Amino acid sequence: MGNALACLSPVKKGGGNGNYSKESKKYGDYHRQNSGQSLAWTAAGTEVESLPDPKLVLTHTEVPTALQIRKHLFSLDMPPYMPDQYGQPRVSGEATLPDDSYIVKLVKTLQSCLVALGATRNNALTTAKLESWAVLIYESMSGHGRDFHGIQHVFDISYNAGALETVSVLFHDVIYLSIDGGLTERQSHILDGVIKNYNKRMRAPPGVTVPLIIGKIDPEKDILLAIVANVFGYDLSRKVVLEKGENEFLSAVVALRVLSSVLTLAQLAQVAAIIEHTIPFRMPDANRDRPPVKLFRRLKHTNEMFGIGMSQQDMVETIQRAVDVANRDVGNFCTTDRAWFLDNTWNLLPETNLPLRDASLYTVGDFFFALKKMEGFFSFLDASCVYNAFRRVPDPLTLSLMTKRAQSNIAIGRQYIRAKLVTQAILAAMAELSGGGDIPISIFMGDLPDINDYCTRLDDYIPSADKQDDELLLDDIDVDSVSSDTAVPGRKASITMISTAITPPAAAAAAAAAVPEDEYFSDHETNDHGTHDTPTMITREDEQTSSTQPQKKEKEEPLIDVEVYELLAEGRRTDTKFDMRHSKFAAYVYRKLGDRGLEERISLCVYPVTPTSANALLATIPFLVEIVSIVSKVAITRADALRRIVHNLPHPNDIS
């Protein structure tokens, strides 16, 4: 599918009707040909004198965010989100209108895609079917817990995708048992006879997952279920018990059973393969084979077993399309908009943590546990397994850029979540020691703001951070102009607070001397300990001063990442129904502890909280008196008990 997730920002020439001259163009221009939406892009630094064929020359610039895609979803002047190298009919948002309802958008999109795939033969495609399928998708993805995997998600990632990919995207998340709490009546009817132990699974106590049993599959009785199982790597000679990817498996079964009356067996197998590859974050196996390679082998085996008749090229292109869809599905990991990236992360929290869906009743422990799980995920997530390629699609340069951006976002996200986690762990410890009980978080934090009402919140009492003399913010410097080798395009530079406590004068001088003459800035990297280090700006004057003059002892301040601090203090892009976009309290804690302080206290964030674990954590907080003073102004029913915590707190050496 070409340059996965790369979308060029065009510079429009000529009139405003979408027509572009065929004169020599520089990088960034695009040409709309007379033949519909076929486009050609110029490569960086090259010129195109003539365009006999609308072919694509790949370049690499900004990856659009979902918000940008949504903004331009129905604009005729918006270039395609993905190129199509196979001549497959292109389906875009032009089939719908901005004010169409979601169901109407689904009907129109399904119709345009299925017509492009030849589904009109024998008059198999009817309006009644389109409506029924649109309602199925809409109902499946509009549940109470669908904050991220909602109906807009399928339009965000399928914009200007090919017909086959778009159909697959529309169905790839229709089943999500952990979010939806079970199957709808429509889903149950379609999946009749597939799951052998569904009732047992649904009756399992919280925290206990019962693997879904599909049982022994007879291809002669259910060829579609057999195709899905084979594509997903299950041995048809044995009882099938779903492991990782149960939602994708069931979604694929739904898609094939629904579409079997209008698509060929080859197309159905391709849909199953595309949906299978949306199982995210899978590492290479013991033989270092990545998921696309293994999926290709399974698709080839399926093709031979069932005599489907796909050619080698058909199967290669199917896997490339699957890679494209999977990379789109996790496209937010390579955005340069950190606040938007964290928005997506925060929207996942209520999907996997049911208590957070009730903004007024979730507890201190509920939020603590949700953050602890998310921190664990980010701590072990390997950026190399976020994106994949198959036979140079996407090309190595694009894949490398996407992976580097994912690595940077994961590092920033991990430190952001750790700051929130340690802050919440402190509150949970204080709740435990001030009277116990997993109390509503509003007792300590105050109610979330309401459009018609506002109450005092904990953040209202957080002291403002005075600007440090040694804090440098380069808000207007683009990273590309500083370091083109390691920079993430479009991201603003951020500089750490320099600390004499963490970096003594002698060490600072040594560090400055080690910096190459023209390289005083480096991009975010991950150190050997897996923590996120941020760059430090050291001027030549500072270097000379550090090495020749004695340093005056100043107030010790820990090193922090200014970008993480600003995300905490100023906020993500949007509020969620369970949490405000900014957290001045978490920013305050982070500023006090710094990166090293967070790292040292992560192991003390123990869930569930006990008096022992609470004492162990609070004994390491040097500014606990300040925190107690702040929290007591909101948690008035526990004010006296909170003040006693400071007096009763044992010395760290006394805690076993």
Side-chain angles (χ1 to χ4, degrees):
M1 292 307 297
N3 185 6
L5 282 174
C7 181
L8 303 178
S9 301
V11 178
K12 193 172 180 179
K13 301 285 185 180
N17 59 357
N19 295 318
Y20 296 80
S21 65
K22 294 184 180 181
E23 300 171 358
S24 298
K25 306 286 184 180
K26 284 290 186 179
Y27 164 79
D29 295 346
Y30 71 93
H31 313 264
R32 187 177 301 281
Q33 304 300 306
N34 294 327
S35 56
Q37 294 299 308
S38 298
L39 301 175
W41 295 78
T42 64
T46 65
E47 295 189 354
V48 179
E49 296 295 337
S50 62
L51 294 169
D53 296 312
K55 297 191 184 228
L56 179 77
V57 183
L58 299 179
T59 57
H60 319 283
T61 58
E62 277 294 278
V63 177
T65 68
L67 293 177
Q68 291 171 327
I69 296 169
R70 200 172 301 168
K71 179 179 178 182
H72 298 288
L73 187 57
F74 309 103
S75 170
L76 294 178
D77 287 337
M78 180 66 179
Y81 184 76
M82 279 296 303
D84 188 345
Q85 294 180 312
Y86 316 120
Q88 182 191 188
R90 170 68 55 192
V91 177
S92 72
E94 296 172 17
T96 64
L97 297 174
D99 55 354
D100 282 341
S101 69
Y102 275 127
I103 291 182
V104 171
K105 290 178 184 178
L106 288 168
V107 168
K108 289 182 176 180
T109 303
L110 282 168
Q111 182 179 36
S112 58
C113 289
L114 295 174
V115 168
L117 294 172
T120 55
R121 49 184 172 272
N122 301 323
N123 297 318
L125 189 62
T126 65
T127 303
K129 286 182 179 179
L130 290 170
E131 179 188 277
S132 175
W133 300 340
V135 170
L136 167 67
I137 297 169
Y138 178 78
E139 180 185 75
S140 298
M141 303 192 69
S142 300
H144 177 55
R146 297 278 189 140
D147 288 76
F148 178 82
H149 294 95
I151 191 65
Q152 183 59 45
H153 178 62
V154 299
F155 291 105
D156 286 344
I157 68 175
S158 66
Y159 174 70
N160 250 346
L164 195 65
E165 295 97 297
T166 300
V167 169
S168 303
V169 167
L170 292 181
F171 283 93
H172 84 291
D173 275 335
V174 291
I175 304 296
Y176 222 126
L177 294 179
S178 60
I179 298 177
D180 301 330
L183 300 173
T184 67
E185 185 176 345
R186 293 177 191 271
Q187 294 170 346
S188 297
H189 177 72
I190 296 170
L191 292 173
D192 183 46
V194 174
I195 307 173
K196 306 304 181 185
N197 65 333
Y198 175 74
N199 290 332
K200 182 178 180 181
R201 165 64 177 271
M202 292 299 103
R203 289 196 299 265
V208 177
T209 300
V210 177
L212 293 177
I213 298 174
I214 305 301
K216 191 76 175 292
I217 299 175
D218 185 350
E220 293 186 1
K221 294 181 179 179
D222 196 338
I223 188 173
L224 298 180
L225 182 58
I227 286 175
V228 172
N230 211 58
V231 166
F232 275 68
Y234 292 102
D235 186 351
L236 298 183
S237 66
R238 306 175 63 180
K239 182 175 72 172
V240 174
V241 179
L242 298 186
E243 298 169 354
K244 185 174 183 179
E246 64 178 22
N247 295 311
E248 291 82 0
F249 182 97
L250 296 176
S251 295
V253 174
V254 168
L256 267 61
R257 288 188 170 184
V258 164
L259 301 172
S260 60
S261 64
V262 296
L263 296 182
T264 66
L265 202 60
Q267 290 169 330
L268 293 171
Q270 291 170 333
V271 168
I274 292 172
I275 294 177
E276 191 279 342
H277 200 53
T278 61
I279 302 173
F281 311 128
R282 290 178 288 179
M283 296 294 292
D285 62 15
N287 297 321
R288 297 185 179 180
D289 288 334
R290 297 185 68 89
V293 174
K294 295 190 287 184
L295 179 59
F296 177 74
R297 292 174 187 157
R298 297 197 300 271
L299 183 62
K300 187 174 182 179
H301 180 257
T302 303
N303 187 51
E304 296 170 352
M305 174 180 287
F306 298 102
I308 294 175
M310 287 184 287
S311 67
Q312 178 81 359
Q313 185 64 19
D314 289 336
M315 291 184 286
V316 169
E317 292 177 0
T318 297
I319 304 306
Q320 290 175 333
R321 292 188 176 106
V323 166
D324 168 36
V325 168
N327 287 349
R328 289 166 176 257
D329 202 18
V330 291
N332 66 90
F333 274 85
C334 68
T335 181
T336 57
D337 188 339
R338 312 282 197 202
W340 179 72
F341 170 70
L342 289 172
D343 264 2
N344 285 276
T345 301
W346 242 241
N347 283 334
L348 287 169
L349 285 174
E351 290 194 344
T352 54
N353 299 274
L354 270 64
L356 299 189
R357 299 179 189 179
D358 193 331
S360 60
L361 293 179
Y362 76 92
T363 67
V364 173
D366 291 333
F367 197 26
F368 177 32
F369 185 50
L371 291 172
K372 187 168 178 61
K373 289 192 295 183
M374 186 61 73
E375 191 276 335
F377 168 73
F378 267 77
S379 292
F380 291 98
L381 180 58
D382 189 335
S384 68
C385 73
V386 176
Y387 296 110
N388 282 289
F390 185 72
R391 300 194 180 182
R392 299 185 64 81
V393 175
D395 61 273
L397 181 59
T398 300
L399 181 64
S400 176
L401 172 62
M402 293 162 65
T403 301
K404 283 183 178 180
R405 288 183 176 179
Q407 183 180 29
S408 182
N409 281 328
I410 290 169
I412 286 284
R414 179 172 57 242
Q415 209 64 354
Y416 176 92
I417 292 169
R418 283 182 173 177
K420 296 276 285 188
L421 173 61
V422 171
T423 301
Q424 196 61 32
I426 292 172
L427 291 180
M430 293 169 65
E432 176 66 26
L433 297 179
S434 65
D438 195 8
I439 57 177
I441 196 169
S442 59
I443 290 181
F444 278 8
M445 300 289 292
D447 292 335
L448 289 172
D450 184 86
I451 191 171
N452 298 316
D453 187 27
Y454 184 85
C455 74
T456 300
R457 286 183 50 80
L458 187 63
D459 280 359
D460 296 333
Y461 297 104
I462 303 301
S464 61
D466 294 328
K467 290 291 184 180
Q468 303 295 319
D469 292 337
D470 50 8
E471 178 184 351
L472 302 175
L473 297 176
L474 301 185
D475 288 340
D476 298 321
I477 296 182
D478 190 277
V479 178
D480 282 341
S481 65
V482 184
S483 175
S484 58
D485 293 331
T486 60
V488 178
R491 189 178 64 74
K492 294 180 180 179
S494 64
I495 311 302
T496 58
M497 292 180 177
I498 301 174
S499 166
T500 56
I502 303 301
T503 310
V515 178
E517 182 176 346
D518 296 323
E519 295 183 10
Y520 285 83
F521 181 89
S522 63
D523 198 17
H524 291 77
E525 297 178 350
T526 303
N527 63 25
D528 294 337
H529 304 291
T531 58
H532 183 67
D533 291 333
T534 51
T536 298
M537 181 67 77
I538 304 173
T539 65
R540 300 177 193 278
E541 182 180 352
D542 291 337
E543 182 178 354
Q544 295 171 357
T545 302
S546 298
S547 58
T548 60
Q549 298 180 10
Q551 297 296 308
K552 183 188 299 183
K553 187 172 182 179
E554 300 177 355
K555 181 182 178 181
E556 296 183 352
E557 292 289 345
L559 272 173
I560 68 170
D561 184 322
V562 172
E563 188 169 9
V564 173
Y565 177 79
E566 289 177 345
L567 285 167
L568 291 166
E570 298 177 10
R572 306 179 300 273
R573 280 282 173 264
T574 58
D575 294 323
T576 62
K577 61 187 178 185
F578 66 92
D579 187 36
M580 293 181 64
R581 64 185 182 89
H582 63 266
S583 177
K584 294 181 181 178
F585 185 41
Y588 163 76
V589 171
Y590 177 51
R591 189 176 79 248
K592 289 285 191 177
L593 292 178
D595 289 324
R596 180 180 295 180
L598 292 182
E599 181 74 18
E600 292 170 347
R601 288 162 179 82
I602 286 297
S603 62
L604 299 176
C605 297
V606 178
Y607 183 88
V609 182
T610 65
T612 300
S613 66
N615 278 314
L617 173 62
L618 296 184
T620 69
I621 307 300
F623 50 98
L624 183 61
V625 173
E626 299 174 32
I627 291 180
V628 167
S629 175
I630 294 170
V631 175
S632 296
K633 296 175 182 178
V634 178
I636 60 172
T637 58
R638 298 207 173 193
D640 291 339
L642 288 172
R643 296 186 188 100
R644 285 195 294 271
I645 290 176
V646 179
H647 299 288
N648 299 335
L649 201 63
H651 189 277
N653 295 334
D654 298 332
I655 301 174
S656 57

